[in-house]
Amino acid sequence: VSSSSTDLSDGTNTIDAPSIGSVTVSAGSSATATFTMTVPTTPAGDYTGTITGTDTSNSANTEDITYTLTVESEDSFSLSASSIDFTIEDSDESESFSITNTGSTTLSSWSFNFTSSDGDTGKVLDNDDDEMTISFSGASSSLSPGSSMTITVSANPDSNFDFGSYSGTIGVSAT
């Protein structure tokens, strides 16, 4: 018996059909055909396809079986950079990184924050409390599975800011 499958669909999105090999079935017995599916980043839901088994000695003898693959909801994303370095000498500086939705749900309500190594939020203070603010721009209101967006991080120092080596942590979250 040779087997084939249609692509799986949830009515809007599609998952490519798996490759299914042939199995030998003796008269009056049964056999199991196994296959592996590769599920891409796709929205959560139930995806339905049809497996067709065909008798290799009589192609008119076929059997269809409908099957369903459930893609569970997963919220996850990846960042293109693990660190960002600014070289600021006397004016504002901007750097960018990308976020890719690697999960199965649309992510929204994006939140970005910066905390300096001294614990200050949204800014870095030098030794006499001059300030360099850290801000974010470019966030979409939502990001569908497999999509990406670019975030720009801007560092804006006061005119009297003492340049040197400063560090902090950028936090990114979404729901």
Side-chain angles (χ1 to χ4, degrees):
V1 174
S2 67
S3 300
S4 63
S5 175
T6 61
D7 288 345
L8 287 85
S9 174
D10 69 352
T12 303
N13 303 291
T14 302
I15 297 174
D16 291 340
S19 295
I20 306 172
S22 297
V23 294
T24 301
V25 182
S26 302
S29 65
S30 63
T32 301
T34 60
F35 59 91
T36 301
M37 297 213 44
T38 300
V39 180
T41 298
T42 190
D46 291 330
Y47 291 77
T48 303
T50 302
I51 294 176
T52 301
T54 304
D55 183 341
T56 54
S57 62
N58 178 4
S59 61
N61 186 11
T62 64
E63 185 73 34
D64 289 339
I65 300 170
T66 300
Y67 70 109
T68 301
L69 170 72
T70 300
V71 175
E72 297 292 331
S73 175
E74 179 183 359
D75 294 343
S76 64
F77 60 87
S78 64
L79 306 176
S80 64
S82 60
S83 66
I84 296 176
D85 294 318
F86 291 97
T87 303
I88 303 172
E89 296 181 8
D90 60 2
S91 64
D92 299 348
E93 175 78 20
S94 295
E95 296 290 336
S96 297
F97 65 92
S98 296
I99 299 174
T100 301
N101 183 344
T102 57
S104 61
T105 60
T106 296
L107 298 173
S108 58
S109 300
W110 288 95
S111 174
F112 302 90
N113 61 65
F114 172 82
T115 303
S116 74
S117 56
D118 293 333
D120 297 309
T121 303
K123 63 187 172 188
V124 172
L125 298 176
D126 66 11
N127 59 358
D128 59 349
D129 289 339
D130 295 316
E131 183 175 294
M132 178 170 53
T133 59
I134 307 295
S135 59
F136 302 89
S137 61
S140 302
S141 59
S142 64
L143 192 62
S144 60
S147 297
S148 297
M149 67 178 166
T150 300
I151 302 301
T152 300
V153 183
S154 299
N156 309 98
D158 287 346
S159 60
N160 294 324
F161 188 80
D162 298 324
F163 295 102
S165 180
Y166 301 94
S167 63
T169 303
I170 294 174
V172 179
S173 65
T175 57

